[in-house]
Amino acid sequence: MKPFFKSTSKLLVAATLVMGLGTSSLMAEVKNKFTVSWTIYVGWMPWDYAQQKGIVDKWAKKYGIEIDLVQVNDYIESINQYTNGKFDGCLMTNMDALTIPAAGGVDSTAVIMGDFSNGNDGIILKGKKSLAEIKGQNVNLVELSVSHYLLARGLESVGMSERDVKVVNTSDADMVAAYSSSDVTSLVTWNPQLSEIMSMKDANLVFDSSKIPGEIIDMLVVNTETLNDNPKLAKALTGAWFEVMALMKKGDTKALTFMAEASGTDLAGYKSQLNSTKMFYDASEAVEFADSDALPKTMKKVSEFSYDHGLLGEGAPNAEFIGVEFPNGKTFGDPSNIKLRFIDTYVKMAAEGKL
Amino acid sequence: MKRFMNLKPSKATALLLGLLPFLIAGLFYIVASDLRLAENPNDKLLPSMASFSEAIDRMAFTPSKRTGEILFLEDTSASLQRLGLGILISAVLAILIGIPLGFIPFIRAGFSPFVAAFSMVPPMAILPILFIIFGMDEISKVALIVIGVTPLIVRDLQQRVSEIPAEQLIKAQTLGGSSWSIVIRVILPQIFPRLLDSVRLTLGTAWIFLISAEAISATEGLGYRIFLVRRYMSMDVILPYVAWITFLAFLFDYLLKKFTYKLFPWYKAGKDNS
């Protein structure tokens, strides 16, 4: 009878797990333990520093909560886990926030826009010097990512469209090896791979994100329901973030070296990546960016690109299907289906020293 | 007394019992999916049956907006070509390497340790080298399958060849057979069904390498599509693709088995007796 009992209990456990999968997600409530996922990227290393050096804990304690930053190795996986309710917050770009959680029906709020890519993403041609020469080539890139968006914007700038090239989906981890292969002639990627490839033979950077400033934004996204029920979470995170920003602005070598090593490079390498990243060291700058007229325009472009590539889901009848809200009350898209919100509430508090 | 262990189900009952787990799994899925969708109608993790049929209709029956091709057919044919080519090359290589290794002591002494060591190299770990040697195109994807699968079949064949009873080989020699004619007349006919068996066993591995290769760099293929739409969590596309891959793998295994038994009835008889 024992084995029978054992297998039955196993079945019960499995059944409970399946049911749990169905019900556990996102029951909003006031709580005091939170998890936020992060992945390695130049603009997100400050979070790692803040966590390792106890800055996050310090701020969390101030608001009587606990915050755990969890490093996830795969960027998309971390967003998917967030979308499924495994994390309360997650670091991602504006485009991924629109196409993954928002398109998946999870109402998300961008609490802090930490930086935008200002040269961190680029198009490289092997042996050719101008973007127009990309015509007819195979272009290796991570399809449906910001690289794909950058390519579309680049082609637009020289009067071409995606029909003029052939996109080959290539994993970001294999970009550097791909460039070494003789049949790869052009690719689009981001740092640190970008600078690695630029140091190789015949690599020419023909277009980069500094030509479309402010369009690829790296931000901290929190589930809107969780945020509304627990504003303390946003306060603590924003406080911790700008404490590290102040250190970085001063050029604190110790902090920068820590971040460099954690991201697998050295101080010089990390600094050169920072040069192509527009960090908002001052909270007031971040407020200004969030309130700017450029942001709704960017999100319109991103929505249109995403719609054209089927990223808004099949139910989407047009690019305006998902509503996006901005701090000054402006919206883009369907106001009755707002799933992505940009706010300046907490960065403003930081700017005014009220955290 | 009739013991439970001695009761045998009739054919119809066996069929029903076989279907039962599938039905239960399906039912579990529907319940879990309904629960999640009730909470968030746009949830993508466990899509409803309706969104599956929409996705299948879109992928398999409607030409793509961007290219005008039926994506599902494109993906399937691209993947099957790669898989077929990879398996074929592996099987031919395995015969060319496995038989001499098992049959000729001098060759075995020289190469067996190398083959054994080579078979332990995880191909995924040396992927960048493969890219540089074979380029990013089709060749590198087929090469990944070949490198991953060949050593497994070779080692299996080598083992099978050395298991052939010495009496047979001695008898063939007393009848005047040369090394070459013994390979052709004695070894090869006996080894062939074992090769097919070995291919069947490695099919699963071959699929893994195929999907991995397509995840890394591709413009079409079953693995490519899954990894592409994974970016925005389209489980409505991914799950039918997974079901299709499973079905194809199952079908190949079944067909190879039938083919082997049809072609080598003595092999089946031998197996049934043992």
Side-chain angles (χ1 to χ4, degrees), chain B residues 120-175:
Chain B
M120 297 300 164
V121 174
M124 298 302 291
I126 52 161
L127 211 54
I129 304 181
L130 298 186
F131 284 157
I132 292 166
I133 301 174
F134 298 109
M136 297 287 283
D137 281 344
E138 291 304 297
I139 307 173
S140 65
K141 294 178 197 93
V142 174
L144 189 66
I145 300 176
V146 171
I147 292 173
V149 168
T150 310
L152 300 178
I153 311 184
V154 166
R155 293 190 71 194
D156 189 47
L157 281 196
Q158 176 192 343
Q159 189 65 35
R160 300 292 157 250
V161 171
S162 55
E163 274 171 17
I164 288 178
E167 293 84 349
Q168 267 186 35
L169 300 180
I170 293 168
K171 191 171 242 174
Q173 288 175 66
T174 57
L175 292 172

Side-chain angles (χ1 to χ4, degrees), chain B residues 94-253:
Chain B
I95 290 196
L96 293 181
I97 304 171
I99 291 181
L101 270 180
F103 190 58
I104 315 276
F106 262 96
I107 295 185
R108 179 159 61 241
F111 289 102
S112 184
F114 179 75
V115 170
F118 188 80
S119 72
M120 297 300 164
V121 174
M124 298 302 291
I126 52 161
L127 211 54
I129 304 181
L130 298 186
F131 284 157
I132 292 166
I133 301 174
F134 298 109
M136 297 287 283
D137 281 344
E138 291 304 297
I139 307 173
S140 65
K141 294 178 197 93
V142 174
L144 189 66
I145 300 176
V146 171
I147 292 173
V149 168
T150 310
L152 300 178
I153 311 184
V154 166
R155 293 190 71 194
D156 189 47
L157 281 196
Q158 176 192 343
Q159 189 65 35
R160 300 292 157 250
V161 171
S162 55
E163 274 171 17
I164 288 178
E167 293 84 349
Q168 267 186 35
L169 300 180
I170 293 168
K171 191 171 242 174
Q173 288 175 66
T174 57
L175 292 172
S178 65
S179 293
W180 175 248
S181 65
I182 291 175
V183 166
I184 298 295
R185 305 282 297 273
V186 180
I187 307 282
L188 211 51
Q190 291 196 59
I191 270 320
F192 208 75
R194 304 211 153 89
L195 172 75
L196 291 178
D197 255 4
S198 193
V199 165
R200 270 178 64 200
L201 283 177
T202 44
L203 263 180
T205 318
W207 274 102
I208 295 178
F209 285 115
L210 174 73
I211 306 284
S212 320
E214 290 180 340
I216 286 153
S217 162
T219 53
E220 76 281 289
L222 296 167
Y224 159 81
R225 192 72 51 198
I226 289 178
F227 275 82
L228 183 66
V229 301
R230 174 178 160 245
R231 228 195 133 80
Y232 50 107
M233 225 164 63
S234 280
M235 284 297 162
D236 54 342
V237 174
I238 294 178
L239 294 179
Y241 263 65
V242 171
W244 175 240
I245 290 174
T246 312
F247 173 74
L248 285 178
F250 179 80
L251 188 72
F252 290 158
D253 187 66

